Amino acid sequence: MKIIIINGPNLNLLGKREPEVYGSTTFDSYFAELQSKFSELQLEYYQSNIEGELIDKIQEVGFSYDGIILNAAAYTHTSVGLGDVVKAINTPVVEVHISNTHKREDFRHVSYISSGAKGVILGFGLKSYELAIRSFL
Ligand code: DQA
């Protein structure tokens, strides 16, 4: 089973970015944990700060992979293009957020991704990604 985690802008800074909101673990070390926990899966990881690159990656994997776990980060709340590509592909997308965006500022309550997603998991810290993987199993 081929699953890819796609992270959007500023998530490359996990570990040093607002640790009180996002924790102090880097995504690279968390991803290594996920790979050993789910060694039976072909688990991949991609991150970009650039909206068009995220769209390109989703188009590239979205007709052949078994699952996409997408944390579009700030683009969640702004990007019609990312919302459209999630609807355009065949691979199911689970939307993930580390923080509970509904407990935060009003602009974070809107998601352009959710209406095309298979489901949404948010607010469980980095564990949200593990829960998303489990949702595909
Ligand atoms: C986030 C929540 C977004 O509102 C924010 O812009 C992020 C991270 C999360 O995982 O909690 O960058 O997607």
Side-chain angles (χ1 to χ4, degrees), residues 56 89-90 118-119 121-123 130:
D56 283 347
I89 58 171
N90 298 332
K118 185 178 177 203
I121 298 172
L122 53 87
E130 178 178 338

Side-chain angles (χ1 to χ4, degrees), residues 7-11 14 17-18 21-22 71-77 96-101 104-105 107-108 122-123 125 129:
N7 274 344
N10 302 307
L11 292 172
L14 285 176
R17 172 193 183 198
E18 297 180 89
V21 180
Y22 300 112
N71 185 347
Y75 292 142
T76 304
H77 318 300
V96 156
H97 299 283
I98 298 164
S99 62
N100 179 350
T101 47
R104 301 180 65 193
E105 303 95 319
F107 69 86
R108 294 185 207 274
L122 53 87
Y129 292 92

